[in-house]
Amino acid sequence: MSMECKKGAPVGVFDSGVGGLTVVREIIRQLPDENIVYFGDTARVPYGSKSQKTVIRFSEQIIRFLKTKQVKAIVIACNTASALALDAVRDEFDVPILGVVVPGARAAVKATRNQKIGVVGTDATVRSGMYTKIIRELNPRIQVLEKACPLFVPLVEEGFKEHAVTQEIIEYYLESLRATDIDAMILGCTHYPLLRSRIRAYMGEDIQIVNPAYETALDLKTLLEEREMSSDGREASGSRYEFYVSDTAEKFRQFANTVMPFHVPETNVVNIESY
């Protein structure tokens, strides 16, 4: 593969569903010249209640699919898969792979003033303790409080963002964190930025809310520049952004249109189990 070809090659991004679009949105903002292939595993969402073995298997299948699109780098735009599968897939595949957990942890360490950080995420992400582990590696004095909020993902996926029930569930999950003196909170699931304004309103203005999507896009930029793989935007042949899912393409596309800053093109269904 020639270097020229490599520069114009797309970046692969995947998530359990629509949440990873918050990462794509940031990549487009920070890296407007890059082409992107997105895969949302809509048939098997949510990942947060699955075992590590299953999440690794799902991630391997998706990476094999993305490799058929000649991607030059892959972003795991899913905290659960980043926490549970990143190390396994990095050892297995010869393409640079980034997760969202390390960039998010790093940003929170920078943001906190009183060394107390809250993390909200799926059951699997919280059980893995990955955020606590990485934050402690960066600064052993920081106290980390992790809280699983498993119902946030289905609420987002079903478009219940503005619904009263969402407010109740936010209060139900976050009451205990609000009672602490954390001054920074990581949205440790890529679906959660879609609830950001509701979460912020409940938690109060004094807390810095960290969105790992933004930090991950910056990390991708650095990675591509270091490896001299950044696109110069010259090879824009065909669609710049392609979207694939494992089920319910039209439902995904309609939702994606509420998240993305442009009209989402036709979304294709892939039989991911065959990879």
Side-chain angles (χ1 to χ4, degrees):
M1 190 185 258
S2 75
M3 210 58 203
E4 201 45 53
C5 163
K6 194 92 175 215
K7 285 186 171 182
V11 171
V13 180
F14 77 88
D15 177 54
S16 59
V18 298
L21 295 171
T22 60
V23 178
V24 174
R25 195 165 63 180
E26 291 298 339
I27 294 172
I28 290 169
R29 274 185 197 144
Q30 313 288 333
L31 301 163
D33 288 335
E34 296 298 339
N35 304 309
I36 298 170
V37 176
Y38 181 84
F39 179 84
D41 200 356
T42 47
R44 305 185 294 198
V45 68
Y47 279 15
S49 50
K50 312 268 192 299
S51 69
Q52 179 166 18
K53 206 172 123 199
T54 296
V55 173
I56 290 174
R57 182 169 66 84
F58 288 179
S59 301
E60 287 167 341
Q61 289 175 329
I62 295 165
I63 292 167
R64 284 195 284 269
F65 163 69
L66 289 173
K67 286 195 67 164
T68 68
K69 300 291 170 192
Q70 272 74 55
V71 295
K72 61 185 173 185
I74 290 173
V75 176
I76 303 183
C78 170
N79 285 261
T80 301
S82 296
L84 271 52
L86 181 62
D87 291 343
V89 295
R90 267 193 177 151
D91 291 344
E92 194 181 336
F93 295 99
D94 59 351
V95 59
I97 304 174
L98 290 178
V100 286
V101 173
V102 173
R106 210 176 44 225
V109 169
K110 273 214 282 271
T112 183
R113 295 172 305 282
N114 70 2
Q115 318 298 302
K116 289 181 183 157
I117 296 173
V119 180
V120 285
T122 64
D123 266 336
T125 298
V126 169
R127 268 203 316 272
S128 76
M130 197 56 88
Y131 270 105
T132 299
K133 181 172 161 285
I134 291 163
I135 289 168
R136 288 268 169 78
E137 279 168 13
L138 294 167
N139 182 343
R141 292 190 308 282
I142 292 181
Q143 192 186 344
V144 187
L145 296 165
E146 297 203 40
K147 176 77 183 161
C149 306
L151 287 172
F152 283 176
V153 169
L155 286 170
V156 167
E157 290 271 339
E158 292 303 322
F160 272 44
K161 212 163 62 182
E162 305 306 327
H163 203 287
V165 71
T166 302
Q167 190 57 38
E168 287 186 28
I169 288 168
I170 286 173
E171 290 171 17
Y172 173 75
Y173 285 145
L174 301 186
E175 194 180 7
S176 58
L177 275 181
R178 194 169 72 158
T180 68
D181 54 355
I182 56 165
D183 71 350
M185 185 165 111
I186 300 174
L187 300 180
C189 171
T190 50
H191 285 71
Y192 297 3
L194 299 168
L195 300 173
R196 182 188 178 136
S197 56
R198 307 286 296 267
I199 291 171
R200 158 152 289 281
Y202 180 69
M203 292 301 289
E205 291 302 314
D206 298 336
I207 285 191
Q208 290 219 52
I209 303 234
V210 176
N211 176 5
Y214 172 74
E215 314 297 332
T216 302
L218 293 180
D219 271 27
L220 175 65
K221 189 176 185 181
T222 305
L223 173 101
L224 295 178
E225 280 167 2
E226 281 172 358
R227 301 195 181 209
E228 297 183 355
M229 294 194 310
S230 304
S231 169
D232 48 21
R234 280 204 310 253
E235 320 84 346
S237 57
S239 174
R240 300 281 317 282
Y241 307 120
E242 292 177 21
F243 296 88
Y244 296 89
V245 292
S246 47
D247 199 9
T248 56
E250 194 42 40
K251 183 183 171 190
F252 172 89
R253 201 182 67 82
Q254 284 169 1
F255 191 96
N257 273 324
T258 68
V259 179
M260 301 310 291
F262 56 80
H263 183 71
V264 174
E266 190 189 351
T267 301
N268 303 293
V269 176
V270 174
N271 176 14
I272 199 66
E273 296 280 3
S274 65
Y275 285 89

